[in-house]
Amino acid sequence: MMTLKKLALRAVFAGTAVLGLGLGTAQAVLPIQHWTLANGAKIYLVATNALPIVDVQVDFDAGSRRDPAPQAGLASVTSAMVEKGVRAGKNGEPALDQNALGEAWADLGASFDVSAGTDRMSYSLRTLSDPALLGKAVALASREIGEPSFPDDVWLRERERINASIRESNTKPATIAGRAFAQAVYGVHPYGQEVTEETLARIDTAAMRQRYQQLIVPCRAKLSIVGAVTRAEAESVATTLLSRLPATDSCAPLPAIAPVAALTGPKDERIPFDSAQAHVFIGQPGYPRKDPDHFALTLGNYVLGGGGFVSRLTNEVREKRGLTYSIYSGFAPGLDAGAFRVGFQTRPDQAEEAVKMSREVLAKFVAEGPTESELKAAKDNLIGGFPLLLDSNRKLIGNVANIAWHDLPLDYLDTWTTRMNAVTAADIKAAFARKLQPQRMVTVVVGGK
């Protein structure tokens, strides 16, 4: 039976997208406060009483780019195993398995998740701001962050499940195309590492614990907090969340990772596959998120292939020639140069024509940039939709965490519209010319004979 507490929490959480944060007037009303704890953790706080909710995201430089190549997938499985149980606590709390943890979070009406991407491992907590509930939720989250048990029997079961998923995925042309594209674009860089049954076989819970001890330490944490808390309360939350991690006397920089290498020439891969649709990717390394060209590239990509039915690629490849139902382009900037990619599906007998036309549209855009009318339409759409990116706690925490992770200016959200408005067609042309080389791109086609 659902308690009144859970019903109230569900009602509040469900209302976040409707009630929002009152951001329609100005983002400057909600400044980002930033400070560093004595243990080295960096805190980013947006205090708002619009709803009685607190969202917290804790990020560490522990994504898949830190995986040893023979153990590709270590970050992902480690993050998944954090939620499978906690050992007996240092304060005498009993050990909890996955089921007990699930029941504990349900009783609190709160949620806690762990995930790993290419760059970071992230812990996400959402709870009501009522002091009694907040304190209990933060205490439980601190146990999951600092005292994961990594049970061997659960890992063996999880590994078999993941292996089955890999085997099934390997029968799909999209998987084959994505793997070939990543390997061709990134080469030996960790961004291109592939998780296989072989790499998973080399991972055990001892490797997870070792990786955890090396990378999940307080001095490397970046905590983003949004919600109905004061600065003092936010500092208490942050301190408690990290309190069960081992203290460190120093925080030496992690080993540097070599940047993604530029392509020296074109790479074309045609992989036969008996499927109704050929899967096509065209692209190259893009740019790191901190690159000053970010605004120009974002606007330009909207015109090129990020704007859906109003993009050039859609107009030329789909509307005029009927070569595909859907086509897109996009950048994936991270701490390093994530890939730029054009992607679509088409009939195998039309693949070469569709590739040729897509390349022509891309090359022309890089050479000439957008028209003034295209630029205006892109600005109208992106700037007009900007408030919708900030109209709930959940969306705002993502933006604050993005600022924290990439060391962006604290006034980034305040100046976003101004900076986007300032971009000219010439800026976009110059930025695309700096970042993309259509004559040296990777092309992968999976499908047909």
Side-chain angles (χ1 to χ4, degrees):
M1 182 176 179
M2 185 168 290
T3 65
L4 290 176
K5 175 178 65 181
K6 294 177 188 175
L7 286 169
L9 186 65
R10 174 175 290 184
V12 171
F13 283 7
T16 56
V18 178
L19 295 175
L21 294 172
L23 293 176
T25 53
Q27 293 87 318
V29 174
L30 300 174
I32 299 174
Q33 302 177 56
H34 170 51
W35 68 98
T36 302
L37 297 180
N39 60 17
K42 295 177 171 58
I43 314 301
Y44 297 77
L45 166 67
V46 172
T48 169
N49 292 314
L51 290 168
I53 294 174
V54 178
D55 281 286
V56 184
Q57 182 168 321
V58 189
D59 292 319
F60 294 89
D61 184 353
S64 62
R65 73 189 192 118
R66 295 283 174 193
D67 288 352
Q71 293 177 310
L74 180 56
S76 177
V77 299
T78 300
S79 68
M81 286 294 294
V82 167
E83 298 186 77
K84 303 304 182 185
V86 296
R87 60 182 183 270
K90 65 180 184 180
N91 298 325
E93 303 97 334
L96 300 173
D97 62 14
Q98 183 179 5
N99 291 332
L101 279 174
E103 291 174 0
W105 284 115
D107 287 342
L108 290 171
S111 64
F112 183 81
D113 299 290
V114 188
S115 61
T118 53
D119 291 331
R120 52 182 155 167
M121 184 178 289
S122 302
Y123 303 80
S124 300
L125 169 66
R126 162 166 276 212
T127 178
L128 287 174
S129 58
D130 174 83
L133 292 174
L134 176 62
K136 292 178 181 178
V138 170
L140 183 57
S142 74
R143 293 197 64 191
E144 289 207 45
I145 293 173
E147 298 170 344
S149 58
F150 297 116
D152 289 305
D153 58 332
V154 175
W155 166 235
L156 294 177
R157 185 174 68 244
E158 283 295 296
R159 184 164 60 190
E160 286 306 307
R161 182 188 63 79
I162 298 169
N163 282 337
S165 178
I166 289 174
R167 289 190 292 270
E168 179 186 5
S169 183
N170 284 340
T171 66
K172 299 177 180 179
T175 300
I176 297 169
R179 179 191 305 136
F181 180 79
Q183 291 174 347
V185 168
Y186 295 123
V188 298
H189 191 276
Y191 277 8
Q193 289 179 172
E194 178 190 356
V195 182
T196 66
E197 293 182 71
E198 289 73 24
T199 65
L200 289 177
R202 301 187 187 102
I203 297 173
D204 56 18
T205 56
M208 298 179 198
R209 293 186 185 94
Q210 181 182 32
R211 189 182 197 282
Y212 214 81
Q213 292 170 357
Q214 292 172 343
L215 301 179
I216 310 301
V217 293
C219 63
R220 304 194 196 284
K222 290 188 174 182
L223 291 94
S224 303
I225 304 173
V226 172
V229 289
T230 64
R231 173 166 173 155
E233 290 168 337
E235 180 150 343
S236 176
V237 165
T239 301
T240 301
L241 284 174
L242 303 177
S243 63
R244 296 174 189 254
L245 290 171
T248 53
D249 295 330
S250 62
C251 199
L254 292 172
I257 295 175
V260 176
L263 299 178
T264 58
K267 299 179 182 179
D268 279 18
E269 290 194 46
R270 302 295 192 272
I271 302 174
F273 196 95
D274 184 13
S275 59
Q277 293 280 297
H279 291 249
V280 180
F281 292 130
I282 303 169
Q284 65 165 87
Y287 67 96
R289 178 59 184 81
K290 291 182 67 174
D291 193 293
D293 283 335
H294 175 73
F295 284 89
L297 294 166
T298 299
L299 269 170
N301 182 69
Y302 182 90
V303 176
L304 173 61
F309 286 107
V310 299
S311 72
R312 278 201 194 180
L313 283 167
T314 295
N315 185 53
E316 295 295 332
V317 182
R318 173 194 154 122
E319 298 298 327
K320 290 185 178 180
R321 295 167 179 84
L323 295 173
T324 183
Y325 179 76
S326 176
I327 185 170
Y328 67 90
S329 67
F331 292 93
L335 292 180
D336 210 325
F340 165 80
R341 175 188 321 227
V342 174
F344 61 90
Q345 297 176 39
T346 187
R347 287 203 329 255
D349 61 302
Q350 297 180 146
E352 293 305 320
E353 182 184 358
V355 166
K356 178 177 180 292
M357 181 51 55
S358 300
R359 285 173 169 169
E360 289 178 0
V361 173
L362 174 58
K364 182 177 180 181
F365 187 82
V366 172
E368 300 177 0
T371 65
E372 290 296 333
S373 62
E374 287 176 325
L375 177 57
K376 182 180 184 305
K379 286 183 177 181
D380 287 346
N381 184 279
L382 294 178
I383 294 173
F386 183 63
L388 298 179
L389 302 179
L390 304 169
D391 65 355
S392 71
N393 255 45
R394 193 180 299 280
K395 293 178 183 179
L396 188 55
I397 189 69
N399 279 280
V400 175
N402 180 58
I403 290 169
W405 185 249
H406 294 289
D407 294 318
L408 302 177
L410 294 183
D411 65 352
Y412 176 79
L413 297 177
D414 299 323
T415 61
W416 190 93
T417 297
T418 300
R419 295 183 67 181
M420 194 67 83
N421 256 326
V423 175
T424 66
D427 293 334
I428 293 174
K429 177 182 175 181
F432 270 74
R434 284 190 287 269
K435 297 301 184 294
L436 300 186
Q437 298 79 43
Q439 72 282 5
R440 296 207 301 262
M441 287 189 175
V442 167
T443 302
V444 174
V445 180
V446 176
K449 299 179 181 180

